[in-house]
Amino acid sequence: MLRQVSFAVQRGELMALVGESGCGKTLTALAILGLAPRAANVRGDISLAGVGDLQALGERARRRIRGRRVAMIFQEPMSALNPVLSLGRQIGENLRRERRLSRREVRRESRRLLELVAMPDADRRLRCYPHQLSGGQLQRAMIAMALASEPELLLADEPTTALDVTVQAQVIELLLSLRRRLGLTVLLITHDLGVVAQSCDRVVVMYAGQVVEEAPVGELFEQPAHPYTRALLASVPRLDGSRSKAEGIAGRVPVPGDLPSGCVFHPRCDSVIESCRASAPELVVIGSGNDTENGHSSRCFLSKPGAGDPG
Amino acid sequence: MSALLEARGLRKSFSWRGQWGGERRLWAVDGVDLEVGRGECLALVGESGSGKTTLGRCLLRLLEPDAGTVRFAGTDLLALSDRDLRRRRTELQMVFQDSAGALDPRLRVGAQIAEPIRIHRLAPGADVEPRVAALLETVGLARSLAERYPHQLSGGQRQRVGIARALATEPRLLILDEPVSALDVSVRAQLLGLLQELRSRLQLTMIFIAHDLAMVEQIADRVAVMYLGRLIEMGPSREVFAAPRHPYTASLLAAVPVPDPKRRSRLATTPGEIPSPLAPPAGCAFHPRCTVARQEDGAIQRRCREQVPELRTLEGDRRTACHYPRGAKEPAKLA
Ligand SMILES: Nc1ncnc2c1ncn2[C@@H]1O[C@H](COP(=O)(O)OP(=O)(O)O)[C@@H](O)[C@H]1O
Ligand code: SF4
Ligand SMILES: [Mg+2]
């Protein structure tokens, strides 16, 4: 499943986890929820080889959220909301459980949370049931519920993928403003490099359960080191006519039980050399950075290891 | 370019009995005029619920419109008898939005592609199998995939099967309903490449439905933008992308995140969400969200609140339905 995924999220940072479907992004997030020792500085050397059942992990992970300062929001808000309880009840229950507030405080705090996520007409919405809300409002409600536990780290798993573009834009702005106002750390899982470019500080690129590149966002877009990152970037449509045609990547992400030898990306790679088939490259620091946490690293034989010296 | 397909005044409503009795009715398509030239690719773009799928189905008469006309290659489709319609059906095909749902889970891929060939008796029995194999190759799939079931395929492969099935009758017009929306960008780009190639090789005319402008720039000659059942902007895609005239088109474009961290911009320029077609706003349906209509004191222009803007030609091939189109020196003249 996941093989030695390791990266660090800095406090107050908006970090993106990108890759195609099936690359292990969601599993990484669930692993953080269930297994990470402490939220704000999640350092996972999370080996998850033995975890077979995602569903079970999800349940257990969700139970473990309590008391840990991590909360998660999902692509499908209905999966996180209870259809037969009003929003007020659901947020209220979270508040009582997480923060032991009195009835009056719960009511005030619920309203404050809905206002925090810019829910239109917050007072009235507390009495609404999920089916009475639009897609964007559901997403806001789920974020409000996640914020009830006052998390330091918010894991956002494709939170805008199912939304219309104008609503996606609003939710991204909401995440940015929450980070600014609450000092929230956000790990944003997405396959949309446009969203990454517009909102994130750092990027981790995953392929087949591994981190293949990590870099500050500017550097990733200007000097992508890994062939997979370059191929992803070439797939993004550009509206300004700066490129005639998006390219795409032939083939598909390998399934966990059937990984290719050597570098897991080699069957789809356009720069493949002999050693790629034989042995697996390590994630190495490249360029001017001097540590994997803040610098630029890549898992490819063709990426030049850096001397750790900008000179 | 002469029009292959031409629709005038197309309307389609859905009605049902309300919870407390009485009829509830919504207009999913509310007065649409459009034409598609031979060999052209027209993109139909709008957020979910704007009526794109319903319009696409009405154009092929998979749904009966309440009013309006649809002419295909000179024939009035709505006047055809069921039998004649079935005969013409081979020329107009649709690739459906949800590829997993559109394919029968119990049937092998090959049998599903063969189905339209058999139904329309397009080839003698012995020729069906080679024809299926050729169709699979046409859409870039291995012949051996004919033996698989839909659930054994990836999302991109399923879309290709849907396209092969639609191509089986050798249609002249293909309506593709959100063919790439559910796919990863890497797969999306490949599928778009395939569609472009098919278009020129088979001289297909296409209507490409999408909810996001970013998906159509590469393939569309012209775009038509839809909002609550109406077309609100139409024009050559390069021109529309470079200078949208309707405020809604502008907000759709602004919302597409530019994949360049050096060019960050405000994405959310429009508040709110598309309203329910059960209770469409009076006047211009976009007015509650429109920033152009809002005057300095916060009040909304009266014309926008009261008068429905018609789709008018601005210049050349550009049309928009707005009282205060962007880039115009003065507001539209009162009719
Ligand atoms: N069979 C139906 N019965 C009732 N309402 C429908 C039906 N099909 C579509 N609608 C409604 O018509 C409107 C337009 O839907 P649709 O054409 O699917 O839009 P789009 O494809 O742009 O998302 C929506 O409000 C939808 O709920
Ligand atoms: S008609 Fe008025 S409300 Fe409608 S888009 Fe134009 S300016 Fe905005
Ligand atoms: Mg649709």
Side-chain angles (χ1 to χ4, degrees), chain B residues 246-247 284 286-287 290 292-293 304 309 321-324:
Chain B
H246 195 283
C284 172
F286 188 58
H287 86 251
C290 184
V292 174
C304 300
C322 171
H323 295 307
Y324 304 93

Side-chain angles (χ1 to χ4, degrees), chain A residues 165 168-169 172-173 176 190-200 203 217-218 220-222 232-233 235-243, chain B residues 185 212-215 217 241 250-269:
Chain A
V165 277
Q168 156 170 298
I172 291 167
E173 269 182 20
L176 287 170
T190 177
H191 65 259
D192 188 333
L193 284 161
V195 170
V196 172
Q198 288 295 317
S199 64
C200 297
V203 191
V217 68
L220 190 96
F221 280 78
E222 245 170 63
L232 276 182
L233 285 169
S235 303
V236 185
R238 307 205 176 229
L239 296 186
D240 54 6
S242 63
R243 189 188 51 217
Chain B
V185 277
D212 180 351
L213 279 167
M215 293 177 204
E217 193 258 353
F241 279 91
S251 76
L252 277 183
L253 270 173
V256 175
V258 180
D260 182 354
K262 285 189 311 231
R263 286 170 45 206
R264 289 197 172 173
S265 60
R266 211 164 152 236
L267 300 176
T269 56

Side-chain angles (χ1 to χ4, degrees), chain B:
Chain B
M1 207 175 340
S2 65
L4 179 66
L5 185 82
E6 188 182 322
R8 291 284 167 256
L10 217 52
R11 302 186 80 201
K12 174 69 192 173
S13 68
F14 295 105
S15 61
W16 61 94
R17 192 181 299 282
Q19 213 176 339
W20 319 111
E23 191 190 61
R24 306 267 277 156
R25 180 180 292 269
L26 69 79
W27 289 93
V29 175
D30 195 8
V32 166
D33 296 326
L34 62 75
E35 60 290 319
V36 195
R38 271 169 228 278
E40 188 183 39
C41 176
L42 173 75
L44 192 58
V45 181
E47 295 181 280
S48 50
S50 56
K52 308 177 298 292
T53 298
T54 307
L55 175 58
R57 287 175 172 260
C58 286
L59 290 174
L60 298 193
R61 210 175 147 194
L62 296 170
L63 277 174
E64 290 293 334
D66 295 13
T69 58
V70 180
R71 297 186 80 80
F72 175 74
T75 312
D76 181 355
L77 283 187
L78 301 182
L80 291 181
S81 68
D82 285 353
R83 225 181 92 220
D84 290 338
L85 179 65
R86 225 170 307 135
R87 207 170 305 144
R88 297 301 295 265
R89 206 19 61 76
T90 55
E91 296 172 52
L92 315 102
Q93 288 290 325
M94 186 146 178
V95 176
F96 296 95
Q97 185 159 358
D98 166 23
S99 70
L103 298 176
D104 186 336
R106 296 156 306 177
L107 274 187
R108 288 180 206 272
V109 162
Q112 315 217 26
I113 298 174
E115 202 171 65
I117 304 177
R118 294 218 162 89
I119 289 175
H120 295 286
R121 301 208 184 86
L122 299 173
D127 291 351
V128 172
E129 206 173 307
R131 198 127 156 205
V132 168
L135 281 162
L136 281 169
E137 269 171 15
T138 303
V139 297
L141 293 175
R143 285 163 175 253
S144 58
L145 249 55
E147 297 305 314
R148 303 259 185 94
Y149 289 94
H151 72 88
Q152 294 172 308
L153 306 182
S154 69
Q157 288 173 324
R158 272 201 299 269
Q159 279 301 357
R160 284 171 194 256
V161 171
I163 294 168
R165 198 178 128 104
L167 292 178
T169 64
E170 300 183 357
R172 298 161 74 186
L173 176 79
L174 202 56
I175 298 188
L176 299 125
D177 194 0
E178 309 233 12
V180 298
S181 302
L183 303 175
D184 270 322
V185 277
S186 53
V187 185
R188 207 177 263 180
Q190 285 182 300
L191 203 71
L192 285 173
L194 170 72
L195 287 173
Q196 267 167 319
E197 182 213 313
L198 291 177
R199 197 183 139 200
S200 60
R201 188 144 60 90
L202 308 176
Q203 295 176 352
L204 283 169
T205 302
M206 283 184 182
I207 297 180
F208 186 102
I209 298 178
H211 64 256
D212 180 351
L213 279 167
M215 293 177 204
V216 307
E217 193 258 353
Q218 190 177 331
I219 191 161
D221 302 312
R222 270 193 316 141
V223 282
V225 183
M226 211 168 167
Y227 194 75
L228 278 189
R230 291 165 182 266
L231 296 187
I232 53 95
E233 175 148 18
M234 212 171 176
S237 59
R238 286 211 175 276
E239 292 178 28
V240 173
F241 279 91
R245 306 300 295 271
H246 195 283
Y248 177 61
T249 315
S251 76
L252 277 183
L253 270 173
V256 175
V258 180
D260 182 354
K262 285 189 311 231
R263 286 170 45 206
R264 289 197 172 173
S265 60
R266 211 164 152 236
L267 300 176
T269 56
T270 296
E273 293 172 55
I274 191 167
S276 158
L278 266 172
C284 172
F286 188 58
H287 86 251
R289 304 175 69 191
C290 184
T291 47
V292 174
R294 211 163 281 276
Q295 292 163 295
E296 264 144 48
D297 60 358
I300 293 170
Q301 294 277 9
R302 191 160 153 207
R303 265 176 95 186
C304 300
R305 277 184 288 124
E306 293 179 357
Q307 199 187 352
V308 179
E310 296 296 325
L311 189 68
R312 306 171 295 113
T313 301
L314 296 174
E315 73 271 310
D317 201 12
R318 306 251 352 225
R319 278 175 270 176
T320 192
C322 171
H323 295 307
Y324 304 93
R326 293 159 50 95
K329 283 180 208 75
E330 51 198 89
K333 286 196 190 65
L334 283 170

